[in-house]
Amino acid sequence: EINEIAVVGSKFMLEKAIDADIGQNGLQLKPSDNFILKLHDQSDGGKKVEMILQKPLDREKEETVSLLLTAVDGGEPQRSGTMLIHITVLDANDNAPVFTQSIYKASIKENAVNGTLITQVSATDADKGSNGEVSYVIGNSMTSTSKLFAITEEGNIILNGQVDYEKAKMYEIDIEATDRGGLSDSTKVVIEISDINDNSPVIQIISISESIVENCPSDTVVAIMNVNDPDAEENGKVHCIISKNIPFAISSS
Ligand SMILES: *[C@@H]1O[C@H](CO)[C@@H](O)[C@H](O)[C@H]1NC(C)=O
């Protein structure tokens, strides 16, 4: 078992060799991408063989490595022995979580109830076991915005209060995904609030004449008023009518 973060030059001792007659050329390791062999003479006449890492391992690419060590002696007839070396590459937390999108967009109606599922974010981590377990938090936790939304362990973003289109038409929240080893990624969620017709028009009298003379000319301004509806577009358009059969009309200015 060798950890994937083992550095180049790390040495791994193999069983004491083998046959005193074997020289450096009589030993072969295949394939030889990751390791080279080094032979040491021992004082007792035996030989010690070391495998030396020359190219880093990466569990996310190769979880096991199988090597064949062959020893050939110089005798006549030539004799050889082989040994199979199975290496399990152990995981290190060498990958950070990565969000599937750098920005997520969602939209809810302003009358959405507390607890409404808004959208789901997701980050994946190539590492194994707890090194690959991701948890989510809402980033801007100092602001009131972050309290208005909550995120579950599964990355579901939930409405945690009440929104009002007339107060805010859009929210932007930062989400951070962290693995158990502390590596993280962040993403942004833009939540648009859509309008519903939840406001009635309000009529406000700005000025009005207490009385008018009976011979006052047509088109004399008698009162000025303001009509307002804070809803958006069609929901906010107002249409004014005045009683029929009275000597007054309204016009827009
Ligand atoms: C929304 O629901 C959450 C969880 O049930 C609760 O803690 C919170 O007080 C609610 N907020 C409002 C404004 O009702």
Side-chain angles (χ1 to χ4, degrees):
E1 292 183 334
I2 301 179
N3 195 295
E4 62 175 323
I5 53 166
V7 294
V8 167
S10 299
K11 294 170 180 170
F12 305 94
M13 181 144 8
L14 298 178
E15 296 296 311
K16 245 186 170 188
I18 323 167
D19 181 334
D21 297 333
I22 291 171
Q24 185 79 49
N25 297 336
L27 272 182
Q28 265 190 352
L29 188 65
K30 284 193 171 163
S32 58
D33 314 347
N34 290 106
F35 297 95
I36 53 169
L37 288 175
K38 199 163 174 197
L39 216 64
H40 299 278
D41 286 321
Q42 303 282 79
S43 53
D44 64 2
K47 287 182 162 101
K48 192 179 85 171
V49 184
E50 274 177 346
M51 258 180 7
I52 299 172
L53 187 67
Q54 62 162 357
K55 189 181 135 232
L57 298 165
D58 184 359
R59 191 205 62 84
E60 286 72 41
K61 287 202 186 110
E62 215 173 4
E63 206 162 355
T64 61
V65 179
S66 288
L67 302 170
L68 186 66
L69 178 67
T70 308
V72 186
D73 70 16
E76 186 64 48
Q78 198 173 50
R79 293 183 187 281
S80 68
T82 58
M83 181 166 77
L84 207 50
I85 304 169
H86 287 295
I87 298 169
T88 302
V89 182
L90 302 178
D91 185 54
N93 191 23
D94 58 348
N95 290 279
V98 180
F99 274 104
T100 54
Q101 289 170 229
S102 60
I103 185 163
Y104 293 81
K105 290 185 176 167
S107 168
I108 50 167
K109 289 206 164 96
E110 61 176 322
N111 65 344
V113 296
N114 190 5
T116 298
L117 171 63
I118 299 168
T119 187
Q120 186 181 33
V121 300
S122 170
T124 56
D125 187 306
D127 290 319
K128 196 175 170 177
S130 66
N131 287 336
E133 274 172 29
V134 176
S135 60
Y136 303 96
V137 289
I138 293 181
N140 25 4
S141 60
M142 300 310 278
T143 66
S144 58
T145 295
S146 64
K147 296 197 177 56
L148 195 51
F149 304 99
I151 189 159
T152 67
E153 277 172 27
E154 297 78 31
N156 290 327
I157 295 175
I158 307 284
L159 182 61
N160 191 43
Q162 197 63 58
V163 289
D164 182 358
Y165 177 87
E166 285 72 41
K167 289 201 182 108
K169 296 171 175 50
M170 201 256 294
Y171 291 93
E172 223 177 81
I173 56 178
D174 295 320
I175 309 288
E176 191 172 72
T178 311
D179 70 20
R180 294 284 178 89
L183 300 178
S184 63
D185 188 23
S186 66
T187 191
K188 201 180 271 301
V189 180
V190 176
I191 301 165
E192 278 185 6
I193 311 301
S194 58
D195 185 52
I196 63 156
N197 192 14
D198 59 347
N199 289 279
S200 305
V202 175
I203 301 174
Q204 190 191 358
I205 307 290
I206 294 168
S207 74
I208 187 161
S209 310
E210 293 282 299
S211 59
I212 47 172
V213 294
E214 60 178 327
N215 65 344
C216 88
S218 231
D219 289 340
T220 299
V221 174
V222 177
I224 298 174
M225 59 203 168
N226 178 298
V227 185
N228 185 43
D229 183 326
D231 288 319
E233 298 179 13
E234 286 301 316
N235 290 339
K237 276 196 187 145
V238 290
H239 171 66
C240 299
I241 45 177
I242 194 166
S243 308
K244 292 194 175 105
N245 307 322
I246 54 171
F248 300 100
I250 45 176
S251 71
S252 175
S253 65

